Amino acid sequence: MRRAPALTASLLTAALLLAGCGGGEESTSSTPAESPASQAPAEQAEPETWPLTGLPVADGDSAATKHPVLVTKIDNTASAAPQLGLGKADMVVEELVEGGTTRLAAFFYSQLPDVAGPVRSMRASDIGIVTPVKAQVITSGAAPVTKNRISGAGITFYEEGAKGLFRESSRYAPYNLMARPGEVAGVAAGAKARPADYFTFGERSDLPKGRKATTLNANFGRHTTSWQFDNGRYRNVNGYAGAGDEFVADTVLVLRVRVGDAGYLDPAGSFVPETIFEGSGPAQLFHRGRVVNATWSKSGLKGQLKLEAGGEEIPVPRGRTWVELVPQGTGAVTFSR
């Protein structure tokens, strides 16, 4: 009978051991099992792109620069030769001025040239050209009525006397005013956020096939800008850019526009035209040696440009674009295979 206490003790010890090892379904472990969702790879963010070209930004860089888009008004006559800075432009818009000649609005954002010019005056047409990306303008000045309209549209501009603008002694006036955009950028006011895209960008495969077109002539009256498709891109064969400083376009976009009266005469007594860059009109998009007929539309001067073909919106292919604002009535566009 002396063995009963020992047996009882043994049974109690075993029960305690079982209690300590059991209860797996009620574990109070502080490390929960990972769910399938937490094991899934992180979704990669879309790469940033430049707002004037749609091209991707280099790894580690940002499309929000320390300066706004800077548009430099550049003379486009033989007297301007050699034009400087066009090789660094993201896009260029060619617009009609008095006498059937043209002037260039060179857009600089992803990179800035050391020097750009010759710098010439603004026109009221520039309101519809620069406001979609809240650009600021480098200019020689403008007629008082134009300055009032530009300022009334909320556009900041830098004219002769501002930091970064200077006269080049090797040229003659008025074709000797030049700009250092980097210096202008240093004092440029305004938000430093990335601007909106100028176009709806896409790929060549997103376009209709179009027709073969390897040459293009955009006639404004007294001046015609001619392009040749060469090795995948378009080259201006009668431009005034300095050697090695040409704007080589991936796309040439021709927009037929209405032209009105700006309401004043230039010093020579010539009528000053105003491009009406809103509403809609015919368009031709030249890319990769082909042309697509389309319709352009722009809801107000500040609206983004849209293109449509066959009842559907089409994109502007990513890359550098030269825009020809050719008058509907007095201008003409021709191309050949």
Side-chain angles (χ1 to χ4, degrees):
M1 299 300 295
R2 296 178 58 89
R3 297 171 56 190
L7 179 60
T8 300
S10 297
L11 291 173
L12 180 60
T13 300
L16 291 173
L17 287 172
L18 287 172
C21 295
E25 294 182 356
E26 299 182 15
S27 170
T28 58
S29 170
S30 61
T31 306
E34 289 188 346
S35 66
S38 66
Q39 296 174 17
E43 189 173 314
Q44 292 187 345
E46 288 290 326
E48 283 195 75
T49 57
W50 293 112
L52 301 176
T53 64
L55 294 172
V57 175
D59 289 345
D61 291 343
S62 171
T65 68
K66 295 181 180 180
H67 58 80
V69 175
L70 293 175
V71 172
T72 302
K73 295 304 302 293
I74 297 180
D75 189 83
N76 196 41
T77 65
S79 299
Q83 294 165 328
L84 300 182
L86 292 180
K88 292 288 183 69
D90 289 320
M91 62 175 280
V92 175
V93 177
E94 184 172 9
E95 60 186 290
L96 178 71
V97 290
E98 51 274 16
T101 60
T102 64
R103 194 152 293 173
L104 306 181
F107 284 66
F108 300 108
Y109 187 69
S110 68
Q111 53 184 341
L112 300 175
D114 294 332
V115 177
V119 178
R120 298 302 304 277
S121 57
M122 301 179 291
R123 296 291 183 273
S125 307
D126 295 319
I127 297 173
I129 292 171
V130 308
T131 50
V133 288
K134 299 180 179 179
Q136 300 183 16
V137 182
I138 299 173
T139 177
S140 63
V145 62
T146 300
K147 283 187 181 181
N148 289 338
R149 290 184 61 186
I150 295 284
S151 297
I155 299 169
T156 299
F157 58 90
Y158 306 90
E159 56 186 324
E160 186 170 9
K163 183 177 181 180
L165 281 87
F166 66 98
R167 292 283 175 178
E168 172 58 63
S169 60
S170 65
R171 299 173 183 250
Y172 62 91
Y175 309 101
N176 62 346
L177 182 64
M178 310 299 285
R180 296 187 179 93
E183 292 186 15
V184 178
V187 297
K192 305 300 189 292
R194 179 196 186 280
D197 286 343
Y198 200 92
F199 308 110
T200 297
F201 290 107
E203 309 302 331
R204 171 66 183 92
S205 58
D206 298 328
L207 294 176
K209 184 177 181 180
R211 299 166 57 190
K212 188 173 182 181
T214 58
T215 68
L216 158 66
N217 299 290
N219 180 274
F220 288 81
R222 287 177 53 196
H223 174 78
T224 298
T225 298
S226 299
W227 297 90
Q228 176 71 49
F229 180 67
D230 177 32
N231 197 28
R233 304 177 80 186
Y234 293 86
R235 299 183 184 278
N236 184 351
V237 298
N238 65 337
Y240 307 110
D245 203 7
E246 301 90 349
F247 183 95
V248 182
D250 295 293
T251 299
V252 178
L253 179 60
V254 177
L255 307 178
R256 303 305 299 272
V257 295
R258 293 179 295 117
V259 176
D261 186 342
Y264 64 98
L265 303 178
D266 72 358
S270 299
F271 148 78
V272 176
E274 178 180 348
T275 295
I276 312 301
F277 199 25
E278 60 179 326
S280 62
Q284 292 167 299
L285 189 152
F286 293 82
H287 182 76
R288 298 295 296 178
R290 306 190 73 85
V291 58
V292 174
N293 292 323
T295 299
W296 70 268
S297 63
K298 195 165 176 285
S299 179
L301 293 176
K302 296 182 180 181
Q304 185 192 48
L305 184 74
K306 300 288 186 182
L307 297 175
E308 184 179 290
E312 296 184 359
E313 184 178 354
I314 62 171
V316 172
R318 303 180 193 280
R320 303 172 82 203
T321 302
W322 183 292
V323 180
E324 304 278 21
L325 297 181
V326 179
Q328 287 187 17
T330 58
V333 180
T334 59
F335 63 89
S336 64
R337 296 172 60 88

